[in-house]
C-alpha cells in the first residue's frame, strides 16, 4: 500500500472573464464560492470592458467578500486576453479558469482538484453533452476540432474548452509565452506536464445571450490554427510547386503543337513564363514562411 500523500492546495485561484453578464454574475459568484468553500481560495473576476451594470455589480460583490478580487480592463479586449489578465493576477498555487456564463459547472472544480492532488499538473474538462446549443454551433465546433487535429502540432482533446485547472508550475510556463493572439486551450497542452481529463455535461446558458458571434468564432478558429500549424505557410510552397510543374509540363506540349502547326504564336511562351515565374515567387514566399514559422 502506497504511503504517498495527496497534495492539497495552499490557495486556490478561480479566474473568470466577465463581459456584460449582469443577469447572472451574482449567481455565478454564489455557486463558485460554494463549490470551492472547503479550500482556501480567491475568485479573480476580470471585467472585459462591460457596457451594462456588470462593473458596478462586481465592485459591490468584491466590497462585501474579501475573497473576491476584480480586475477592470480599459475596454473590451476579448475573451482570451481577459482570461490571460486574470491568470496573471492569480496568486494561488493551483489555478482554475472558467467562464462566468454557468454553462461550465463550478461544482466540477472539486473533481479537478482531486485529479491535481493525485499528481496531474493540468486538468481539463471534456464535454460529454452540450445542452442549449444549436445544431450549427455543434457542427462548426466538430469541424473545428477535426480540422485542428489534422493541421496542428498539438493533441487537443475534442470538446475540451478553456475550463481547466493548472498547477503553478504549468501556469508559469503558460504565462511565459508572449503570443498576442492567444489560444489558451492549445497553449496549456503545448506546455506539457502531466495532463488528465474529467468529463461533464455542459448546461445551457443560465441567463443572457452568448457573446461569441459567427464572426468572432471564425476569427478565433483562424487564430488557433495559425498559432499551432505551419500548414498555412506551406500552402504557398505547394502552390508554387504546382504552378512551376504545370509550366514544365506545358513546354513539351507547346513544342508538339508547334511541330503540328497548331501553335498560337506567343501564347505558349507567355503562359509558360508567367506560370514559371509565379511558381518561383510562391516557392520563395513559402521558404520565407517556413523560417517565419
Amino acid at each position: 500500500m502506497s504511503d504517498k500523500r495527496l497534495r492539497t492546495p495552499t490557495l486556490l485561484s478561480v479566474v473568470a472573464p466577465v463581459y456584460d453578464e449582469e443577469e447572472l454574475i451574482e449567481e455565478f459568484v454564489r455557486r463558485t464560492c460554494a463549490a470551492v468553500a472547503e479550500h482556501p481560495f480567491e475568485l479573480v473576476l476580470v471585467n472585459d470592458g462591460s457596457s451594462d451594470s456588470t462593473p458596478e455589480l462586481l465592485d459591490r460583490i468584491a466590497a462585501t467578500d474579501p475573497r473576491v478580487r476584480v480586475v477592470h480592463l480599459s475596454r473590451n479586449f476579448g475573451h482570451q486576453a481577459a482570461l490571460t489578465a486574470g491568470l496573471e493576477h492569480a496568486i494561488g498555487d493551483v489555478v482554475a479558469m472558467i467562464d462566468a456564463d454557468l454553462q461550465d459547472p463550478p461544482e466540477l472544480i472539486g473533481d479537478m482538484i482531486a485529479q491535481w492532488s493525485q499528481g496531474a499538473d493540468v486538468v481539463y474538462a471534456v464535454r460529454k453533452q452540450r445542452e442549449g446549443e444549436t445544431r450549427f454551433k455543434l457542427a462548426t465546433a466538430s469541424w473545428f476540432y477535426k480540422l485542428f487535429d489534422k493541421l496542428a502540432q498539438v493533441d487537443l482533446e475534442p470538446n475540451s474548452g478553456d475550463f481547466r485547472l493548472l498547477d503553478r508550475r504549468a501556469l508559469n510556463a503558460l504565462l511565459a509565452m508572449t503570443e498576442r493572439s492567444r489560444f489558451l486551450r492549445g497553449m496549456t497542452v503545448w506546455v506539457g506536464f502531466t495532463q488528465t481529463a474529467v468529463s461533464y455535461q455542459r448546461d445551457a446558458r443560465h441567463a443572457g445571450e452568448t457573446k461569441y458571434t459567427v464572426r468572432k468564432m471564425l476569427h478565433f478558429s483562424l487564430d488557433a490554427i495559425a498559432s499551432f500549424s505551419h500548414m498555412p505557410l506551406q500552402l504557398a510552397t505547394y502552390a508554387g510547386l504546382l504552378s512551376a510543374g504545370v509550366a514544365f509540363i506545358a513546354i513539351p506540349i507547346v513544342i508538339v503543337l508547334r511541330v503540328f502547326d497548331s501553335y498560337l504564336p506567343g501564347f505558349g511562351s507567355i503562359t509558360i513564363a508567367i506560370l514559371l515565374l509565379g511558381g518561383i515567387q510562391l516557392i520563395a514566399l513559402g521558404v520565407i514562411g517556413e523560417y517565419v514559422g
Side-chain angles (χ1 to χ4, degrees):
M1 182 175 179
S2 174
D3 59 354
K4 183 179 179 181
R5 294 184 178 180
L6 299 178
R7 296 188 291 183
T8 56
T10 303
L11 177 66
L12 168 67
S13 296
V14 181
V15 176
V18 185
Y19 177 61
D20 287 353
E21 299 289 10
E22 61 182 3
E23 298 179 54
L24 56 76
I25 188 58
E26 292 178 309
E27 177 65 11
F28 169 76
V29 171
R30 185 193 66 78
R31 281 182 56 181
T32 302
C33 291
V36 298
E38 64 181 283
H39 304 285
F41 75 92
E42 64 168 357
L43 177 58
V44 182
L45 302 173
V46 182
N47 168 35
D48 189 19
S50 299
S51 57
D52 60 4
S53 63
T54 298
E56 292 77 16
L57 289 172
L58 292 176
D59 288 337
R60 188 188 311 160
I61 293 169
T64 58
D65 191 339
R67 300 171 300 181
V68 178
R69 294 197 292 132
V70 178
V71 178
H72 291 288
L73 301 186
S74 59
R75 64 171 176 84
N76 178 241
F77 284 90
H79 179 270
Q80 299 291 286
L83 190 51
T84 300
L87 295 175
E88 290 174 342
H89 282 79
I91 60 175
D93 56 319
V94 186
V95 180
M97 47 186 182
I98 184 173
D99 289 343
D101 56 12
L102 290 177
Q103 287 189 272
D104 298 329
E107 293 77 13
L108 191 67
I109 295 176
D111 294 339
M112 301 169 86
I113 293 175
Q115 292 293 329
W116 170 84
S117 67
Q118 295 177 32
D121 296 307
V122 178
V123 184
Y124 53 90
V126 179
R127 307 151 183 159
K128 291 189 299 184
Q129 289 182 313
R130 302 167 64 130
E131 299 293 337
E133 295 186 350
T134 64
R135 290 185 179 180
F136 175 77
K137 178 66 180 294
L138 294 174
T140 52
S142 175
W143 297 339
F144 166 74
Y145 282 106
K146 289 178 181 178
L147 183 62
F148 189 88
D149 182 60
K150 295 292 184 182
L151 298 181
Q153 281 84 44
V154 295
D155 296 323
L156 182 64
E157 182 73 23
N159 284 319
S160 61
D162 291 318
F163 189 14
R164 290 162 188 261
L165 180 140
L166 292 86
D167 182 77
R168 171 53 62 175
R169 293 186 306 147
L171 178 60
N172 288 341
L174 176 66
L175 295 178
M177 302 171 71
T178 57
E179 283 84 349
R180 291 191 177 184
S181 296
R182 304 180 74 80
F183 181 58
L184 289 171
R185 66 191 70 173
M187 294 166 68
T188 55
V189 174
W190 188 88
V191 297
F193 298 95
T194 304
Q195 307 210 3
T196 191
V198 293
S199 59
Y200 73 106
Q201 179 173 323
R202 197 177 201 214
D203 297 328
R205 217 175 199 283
H206 183 76
E209 298 179 354
T210 179
K211 310 305 185 296
Y212 260 99
T213 62
V214 174
R215 182 182 64 83
K216 286 184 177 181
M217 286 192 296
L218 181 61
H219 188 269
F220 181 64
S221 300
L222 293 175
D223 278 347
I225 293 173
S227 296
F228 289 94
S229 175
H230 291 169
M231 183 62 70
L233 296 173
Q234 295 169 340
L235 291 178
T237 304
Y238 298 147
L241 290 172
L242 178 62
S243 180
V246 172
F248 283 113
I249 293 173
I251 293 174
I253 294 176
V254 169
I255 294 174
V256 171
L257 290 175
R258 187 157 191 172
V259 168
F260 288 95
D261 201 24
S262 299
Y263 176 69
L264 182 62
F267 175 76
S269 57
I270 292 174
T271 302
I272 291 171
I274 292 173
L275 288 172
L276 190 57
L277 289 174
I280 293 172
Q281 289 175 332
L282 286 170
I283 292 171
L285 285 175
V287 171
I288 294 172
E290 287 293 328
Y291 279 103
V292 172

